[in-house]
Each structure stands twice: as structure tokens, then as C-alpha cells.
Amino acid sequence: ENGLTIYAYDISARKQSELALDQGHHETLQLLNSSGDSVIALNRNWQIVYANEDVTCWYPEGFIGRNYWDVFPHPPDSVYRQTYEEVLNTGKPIRFEARSFRRGTWREYRVFPSLEGIVIYAADIGVLKDAQESLEHALQEKEDILNSITDSVLVIDRNWNFVYANDTALHAQSQGLVGRNYWEVYPDNQESIFVRHYQQDMDTRQP
């Protein structure tokens, strides 16, 4: 006798799992887009399989599925190519810093292996690099001033080790001073006025 047979299965658990996965995927995308970092995922053929909004806003023409080196052309000996290939081949993460010519600022790159290929995280460190360069410039100016004067300038830590000596002081000591102990260089100065004043200044923190 002809008829219709209907089978019904409870797929509530599967649907809940799919919804949970979708929710987790959505939250992950939100996190990647709100981090402020650039995130790009590549497969082993160098195709771009994912890029977050920080990247796509700079490249509105779109590039998902395109070859990474076509979108970001770098010479074979560049730090980008060498690093990405090393991570892909060794499976070990690498961190490096480089200037982004398109953005005109310094960036920190962290490259990790993935199941498909590699994932690249890039963070803007321009402010940090500018501050570092300013500090180095100020320190260089200070050292230039100290080296231009004819007096000897020495800096000694609490353990009586030389941590700085200007050019005038270094010229007076052919064996160098920095890193050596004061008593090694001047073993006969235990009772000198300088030592008494130095110890007093160290104890009182007053010049």
C-alpha cells in the first residue's frame, strides 16, 4: 500500500553547537577588528585568506584570495620575505620591527605559524620609536657636551664600578675605565679627600 513515511530527528544539540560556533566566530572577528592591530592570515601558497578591518581600510580594492606578494611587493632579501618564509618552514614564531612605507610609521610584526600557513600581527609603534629616538638624540647631545670639555668626568656606582667616563678621562687611562672597579684603578686612594666626599654624598644623597 502506497503511503508516506516521515522521519523526524532531534537536531537541537547540533543547532546549539552551530549557533555557539557562529557566536564564537563573531566574537573572534570583533576582537580582531577592535584590537587596533593589523591581522593577515596566509595559506602555504601565500594567498591571503583573512584580513581584519585595520588592513582592509587601507586597501579598499580588496585582496582576499590574492597572492600576498602581489599586494605587498617586497624584494627576496627583505626582512618580510625572509621572516615569513622562515616561520612557514620552521613553524616557529618570530618578532621583528620595520618601517611601513605605505603608512609611514614604524610597526612591530609578530608572525605565527597556523594550520593553513602563517598569521601576521602588526602593531603601530611609531610613538614609541619617536620617543626612543628622541631619548637617544638627547643622550648623544649630552655625551657630546661632556666629551667637549677639558675636565675629566667620571660616573661611579655604589659598588665603586665605573659606569661612564668622558674622552678626557679615558685619555688619561690607556687601559680604559668603564666596567672596572675604582680600587683596581686607584688602589692607593683609600684615604683621599675624594673618597671621603664621595662616600658622604652617597650616604646623604646631597652634592
Side-chain angles (χ1 to χ4, degrees):
E1 184 175 325
N2 295 330
L4 177 66
T5 303
I6 300 175
Y7 296 92
Y9 298 95
D10 187 351
I11 60 171
S12 300
R14 190 179 73 186
K15 278 297 184 183
Q16 289 177 354
S17 298
E18 291 176 354
L19 290 173
L21 287 174
D22 289 342
Q23 179 64 24
H25 181 66
H26 178 69
E27 291 176 354
T28 300
L29 290 180
Q30 282 189 319
L31 179 63
L32 292 174
N33 286 326
S34 63
S35 66
D37 298 343
S38 299
V39 183
I40 299 179
L42 311 178
N43 64 19
R44 301 192 70 84
N45 295 319
W46 302 110
Q47 289 176 309
I48 301 172
V49 296
Y50 171 79
N52 71 343
E53 291 178 359
D54 186 73
V55 180
T56 56
C57 70
W58 284 83
Y59 301 88
E61 63 271 17
F63 48 72
I64 300 300
R66 294 178 59 190
N67 185 279
Y68 179 86
W69 303 118
D70 291 339
V71 181
F72 304 96
H74 294 290
D77 60 347
S78 69
V79 64
Y80 299 96
R81 277 188 180 268
Q82 293 179 351
T83 302
Y84 297 171
E85 289 176 357
E86 183 175 348
V87 174
L88 190 65
N89 293 329
T90 65
K92 296 180 179 180
I94 295 178
R95 173 197 168 278
F96 69 96
E97 296 177 2
R99 179 177 288 278
S100 170
F101 294 101
R102 182 153 190 170
R103 301 197 184 208
T105 185
W106 279 92
R107 311 206 84 196
E108 177 192 54
Y109 295 85
R110 290 167 293 153
V111 190
F112 298 90
S114 68
L115 292 176
E116 290 188 83
I118 62 173
V119 180
I120 305 161
Y121 296 85
D124 191 341
I125 57 170
V127 174
L128 179 63
K129 293 293 285 188
D130 289 343
Q132 181 180 348
E133 290 176 0
S134 296
L135 177 60
E136 291 174 353
H137 180 69
L139 291 174
Q140 185 60 53
E141 283 189 337
K142 180 180 178 181
E143 185 164 354
D144 290 343
I145 292 172
L146 291 175
N147 286 329
S148 67
I149 63 179
T150 57
D151 296 333
S152 294
V153 178
L154 301 170
V155 179
I156 304 172
D157 65 16
R158 286 182 172 274
N159 296 318
W160 295 92
N161 294 318
F162 290 102
V163 295
Y164 174 79
N166 71 343
D167 286 346
T168 303
L170 290 175
H171 289 157
Q173 284 289 332
S174 59
Q175 296 181 2
L177 290 171
V178 176
R180 299 176 64 189
N181 188 271
Y182 178 87
W183 303 119
E184 174 193 345
V185 181
Y186 303 107
D188 300 325
N189 284 6
Q190 293 278 355
E191 303 299 327
S192 68
I193 295 177
F194 161 75
V195 171
R196 290 200 299 271
H197 281 294
Y198 176 82
Q199 191 64 60
Q200 179 181 345
D201 294 344
M202 291 290 289
D203 293 339
T204 63
R205 293 186 176 274
Q206 296 293 328

